[in-house]
Amino acid sequence: INKMSIKEAVQQEDDTVIPYRVQEFRAEWDEEGVYVYQAFKDSIANWALEHQSLGGPDFRPMRMTWIKPSFAWVLYRSGYGRKHNQERILKIKIGHAAMAELLLQCTCGHGHGGTKGRVQWDPERDLSCPEPGKRGEPRKMLRTRAIQIGLSKDLSEVYVKNIISVQDVTVLAKEVGEAHSILLHDRKSNVMQEILYKLPREQVYTPVMNKQGLIDLGLLPGPTAMEVAAIGFGKAN
């Protein structure tokens, strides 16, 4: 794995400082692979856990499927596993080469492009606390963005074939949701501290790709990084 810091890449080879931010792909990963999250209904989750893959009669590979390296983001999208047909949160590991293969065939854009796959950079969500005034979702981190990876039928098949392991983290998702629902700030902080050791350790991840591939994703300076930077981050809470 290339362990170069993405922040180091903001400085070009000639030591010229780039006047905009590149993005950071943050995920939990090890030497074997990288973890992503998806939310499913019970029947799909049960099949996945039994077979350590995705499939079964209720799984629809023809539809675009979105994988999220950010645990906080899947909690936001699934309502901590409370939304209909998203009651189970799965933590799925795929190999580094497979992740690179998927990303190389994705187009980076918001609401456009990517007939095979699409990468979006959306405001990250905070595992440590809920959105102020909204106990039903993790806080939006307006100065940090998280990668979302959408896979069409062909890429979804590549993804499924390269799954290494499947874990059920629904209980943890609900624990975070219950902690975020606590009204008293001190009590909420204490409960989050109690479950801190269970939370994923998400770190900067550099996909095993060539330089142009990283540029196209916005992970190195170039047109994509400029486009995403132009979206802005808004005011910090």
Side-chain angles (χ1 to χ4, degrees), residues 154-212:
D154 291 341
L155 286 189
S156 180
E157 290 178 353
V158 173
Y159 165 60
V160 170
K161 288 177 181 177
N162 285 279
I163 289 175
I164 296 173
S165 65
V166 181
Q167 303 173 48
D168 190 340
V169 292
T170 306
V171 172
L172 179 58
K174 294 187 180 301
E175 284 186 288
V176 175
E178 290 170 4
H180 284 187
S181 69
I182 297 172
L183 290 174
L184 295 176
H185 176 74
D186 290 344
R187 173 59 180 155
K188 179 175 4 193
S189 297
N190 289 338
V191 172
M192 286 305 301
Q193 282 296 320
E194 291 172 3
I195 65 173
L196 184 62
Y197 74 97
K198 301 179 184 180
L199 301 179
R201 303 293 190 267
E202 294 173 2
Q203 307 175 68
V204 174
Y205 174 74
T206 305
V208 187
M209 302 167 66
N210 58 33
K211 183 177 180 180
Q212 187 58 52

Side-chain angles (χ1 to χ4, degrees), residues 7 18 23 33 38 73 85 94 98 103 107 155 159 170 221 224 230:
K7 291 182 179 179
I18 304 300
Q23 301 306 307
Q38 290 189 269
W73 240 94
N85 286 339
I94 65 170
L103 292 173
T107 299
L155 286 189
Y159 165 60
T170 306
T224 301

Side-chain angles (χ1 to χ4, degrees), residues 81-139:
R82 296 170 183 153
K83 291 184 179 179
H84 180 60
N85 286 339
Q86 298 184 62
E87 297 91 351
R88 301 281 290 283
I89 311 298
L90 299 184
K91 180 178 183 177
I92 300 170
K93 180 191 269 191
I94 65 170
H96 299 297
M99 176 59 78
E101 182 180 354
L102 296 174
L103 292 173
L104 281 169
Q105 298 186 66
C106 288
T107 299
C108 190
H110 287 254
H112 61 83
T115 56
K116 286 190 174 182
R118 187 192 314 161
V119 162
Q120 291 186 179
W121 292 99
D122 296 316
E124 177 63 288
R125 294 284 168 164
D126 189 353
L127 271 180
S128 66
C129 63
E131 183 75 6
K134 297 181 181 180
R135 291 180 290 156
E137 62 185 61
R139 182 177 70 91

